[in-house]
Amino acid sequence: EHTGGMKAAGVAVILVGVVVRLFMFQFSEHFQSSYEVVTPVSSIRRVKEGLHLLELGKSPYDGNMYHQPPLVLSLFYNLFQLPDYATILFFIGLDVIAAMALYHTALVYRRKVVPVDLKFGTPLLNNANMLDYVNGFVNNMPLVAMASYILNPMAILSCVAMSPSLLNNVAIFLTLLFSVTSNIGLACFFCSIATYLTMYPIALLAPIVITYQYVKKLEGKQKNIIVTSLVVIICFLVSLCGLFYSSYIQLGHEQFLVFLTKVYKFTLFCDDLQPNIGLFWYFFTEVFIDGRDLFVFSFQFHIFVYVIPLSIVLMDHPVFVYWVLVGLMSTFKSYPTISDLALYLSIFPMFLHKLQEMQYAWLSMVGFLFISVLCPLFWRAWIISGSGNANFYYVLTLLIAFINSRMLIEAVSAIRKRKFLTKQLLQEKDN
């Protein structure tokens, strides 16, 4: 499955990521106030505000500060009883778990799915050098995928800022891992946790279904997709209801309703227009109140409208569908952060062996580097020095959305073109 050399390299990569995070934690206070890293629904300072209200005998949802589920508050309440270094180790541990989950996902993916991809895609490789490159990359795929997360500056800054969004990242990575290993129960459980935390991962139920179907098909154990869908929905609802029931027991009836309003309604209607790297804040500052609900629906629906079409058209590439949906979430959710971008970009290396038709991926990566430099500069020009205005910052959020969308569209087009060319070559051989 993996060689001793790859294990050693993997441990080295993890250690480098841990050491970098330990060093960067001295700047934690600075990044906890960075709008690229935290939002109203992913700020450790707001968690502390919720705990402070709780200590005063008030509801954490009083006012307009805390907008995360009560079980998250319970987790951090117990965590903050420990020494400070335990909190640091907790967040580093979350990133290590996420990276290891991605590593093992790539191992399983390489063993089960990649041989099929290479079998049908090899005729498209025009020369021996390209074939050697693809084979060499596939051998190192798990290590590259893990490194692309644990060494990703966006993931590092999110960890240093102690962003609760890391909980969501871990849940999504584990959902993917248990999907490719055909463990529907655990996949649905972690998907329900991610949905409980941020609402949007409910869209990942479709990839769970088609991934299970595809893996079983490769194993020669074809399953009925309707039965699989029902099992996935039931497992997901049972897990999600368990989380909501635990919240209900903790809060009581009245506060439970307040929790639903302060967390999910707050996210759905984007009630706090604090600047971030998303599209909502500036647009809904300018939009007329009378048309606000229509535009909110249009923006939020945008994430979910592609789920069924993608799952049907790309049924033979289920993990790729998973990645596309994660990319859509990171682009169109109400309160995105660079943690969402780190999640989305770290899964991408798993598909490089079948994206030869994707010509401008390098341009997207250069765009992300460009934005990483300009975001703090434009923020300073707008807020601190007063030499700019909101348009300076918003144009970068538009650029992020454009780069993400362009990358997703080009990747989907490359997969579709590859499928078409492969089919054409097979037909020519048959003739």
Side-chain angles (χ1 to χ4, degrees):
E1 186 82 9
H2 47 184
T3 63
M6 183 176 290
K7 286 183 181 179
V11 171
V13 168
I14 291 287
L15 287 176
V16 170
V18 169
V19 169
V20 171
R21 283 164 172 78
L22 286 171
F23 172 77
M24 290 294 293
F25 258 101
Q26 62 185 305
F27 308 109
S28 181
E29 287 294 324
H30 170 73
F31 291 113
Q32 286 177 21
S33 60
S34 173
Y35 288 104
E36 295 86 14
V37 184
V38 298
T39 67
V41 298
S42 60
S43 169
I44 194 66
R45 289 183 175 178
R46 292 189 178 234
V47 172
K48 291 177 180 177
E49 285 288 341
L51 289 173
H52 181 64
L53 288 171
L54 207 59
E55 289 172 358
L56 294 176
K58 299 181 180 180
S59 167
Y61 299 106
D62 284 350
N64 194 38
M65 287 301 295
Y66 184 68
H67 300 286
Q68 296 175 63
L71 296 183
V72 173
L73 198 66
S74 298
L75 171 65
F76 283 105
Y77 174 80
N78 290 294
L79 182 63
F80 290 152
Q81 306 301 313
L82 302 174
D84 290 344
Y85 68 83
T87 304
I88 293 174
L89 293 178
F90 172 77
F91 281 99
I92 293 176
L94 287 178
D95 265 357
V96 171
I97 292 171
M100 291 303 298
L102 184 58
Y103 177 82
H104 287 286
T105 299
L107 279 177
V108 177
Y109 183 77
R110 187 182 68 177
R111 187 183 78 242
K112 292 185 177 181
V113 179
V114 170
V116 178
D117 291 336
L118 295 180
K119 176 182 177 182
F120 292 104
T122 298
L124 300 177
L125 302 177
N126 298 323
N127 55 63
N129 290 334
M130 179 61 75
L131 183 59
D132 291 340
Y133 168 77
V134 169
N135 288 332
F137 175 79
V138 166
N139 290 334
N140 294 300
M141 178 195 294
L143 187 62
V144 173
M146 181 176 68
S148 66
Y149 183 80
I150 199 70
L151 300 181
N152 190 318
M154 298 180 186
I156 292 171
L157 295 183
S158 299
C159 179
V160 170
M162 300 184 182
S163 172
S165 61
L166 267 61
L167 295 168
N168 181 63
N169 285 5
V170 170
I172 288 179
F173 277 133
L174 290 174
T175 301
L176 177 58
L177 172 61
F178 290 114
S179 294
V180 298
T181 54
S182 301
N183 192 327
I184 285 184
L186 286 176
C188 292
F189 173 69
F190 285 107
C191 185
S192 70
I193 292 177
T195 303
Y196 175 75
L197 293 172
T198 60
M199 186 175 71
Y200 297 102
I202 192 174
L204 299 179
L205 288 178
I208 290 175
V209 172
I210 61 173
T211 301
Y212 181 80
Q213 290 292 114
Y214 185 69
V215 171
K216 288 301 178 182
K217 178 182 175 182
L218 295 180
E219 295 174 352
K221 303 174 184 177
Q222 188 71 47
K223 301 292 183 178
N224 187 302
I225 192 168
I226 296 176
V227 174
T228 302
S229 301
L230 289 174
V231 171
V232 166
I233 291 171
I234 291 171
C235 289
F236 173 79
L237 289 178
V238 168
S239 300
L240 190 61
C241 287
L243 292 169
F244 280 131
Y245 182 70
S246 299
S247 302
Y248 182 86
I249 294 298
Q250 180 177 333
L251 294 173
H253 178 70
E254 285 188 20
Q255 285 302 310
F256 179 77
L257 297 178
V258 174
F259 145 62
L260 295 178
T261 301
K262 290 288 188 175
V263 176
Y264 303 113
K265 179 179 176 292
F266 177 86
T267 302
L268 191 63
F269 287 92
C270 195
D271 292 336
D272 190 326
L273 298 177
Q274 172 182 298
N276 54 64
I277 62 170
L279 298 172
F280 281 67
W281 66 273
Y282 188 91
F283 184 86
F284 287 104
T285 301
E286 302 293 334
V287 76
F288 290 112
I289 296 298
D290 291 343
R292 194 178 194 279
D293 289 349
L294 173 63
F295 284 108
V296 165
F297 174 79
S298 301
F299 272 57
Q300 298 287 13
F301 187 64
H302 202 70
I303 293 176
F304 302 100
V305 71
Y306 302 106
V307 174
I308 301 302
L310 282 171
S311 299
I312 294 173
V313 173
L314 299 175
M315 191 171 287
D316 291 338
H317 304 276
V319 182
F320 180 76
V321 174
Y322 186 103
W323 172 74
V324 172
L325 293 177
V326 169
L328 287 170
M329 291 179 209
S330 71
T331 306
F332 295 109
K333 67 194 298 188
S334 308
Y335 299 105
T337 67
I338 58 174
S339 176
D340 298 300
L341 294 178
L343 172 68
Y344 151 64
L345 292 174
S346 61
I347 303 173
F348 178 68
M350 291 173 58
F351 314 110
L352 290 179
H353 66 283
K354 55 183 178 183
L355 290 175
Q356 290 84 18
E357 302 299 328
M358 192 175 177
Q359 300 176 358
Y360 301 107
W362 64 272
L363 192 59
S364 298
M365 297 306 168
V366 171
F368 282 120
L369 290 174
F370 176 77
I371 290 165
S372 299
V373 173
L374 286 188
C375 263
L377 294 179
F378 279 22
W379 177 263
R380 182 178 180 84
W382 172 28
I383 298 297
I384 299 174
S385 66
S387 58
N389 56 38
N391 294 325
F392 278 59
Y393 194 74
Y394 190 61
V395 72
L396 291 181
T397 67
L398 290 175
L399 189 57
I400 291 172
F402 171 77
I403 292 172
N404 278 351
S405 302
R406 183 72 184 85
M407 190 171 176
L408 290 170
I409 291 169
E410 189 181 8
V412 171
S413 299
I415 291 290
R416 295 286 293 153
K417 185 175 180 180
R418 181 180 186 275
K419 190 175 181 179
F420 171 77
L421 292 175
T422 301
K423 186 177 180 181
Q424 197 174 43
L425 283 173
L426 290 175
Q427 287 177 346
E428 289 175 0
K429 283 185 178 181
D430 291 340
N431 295 333

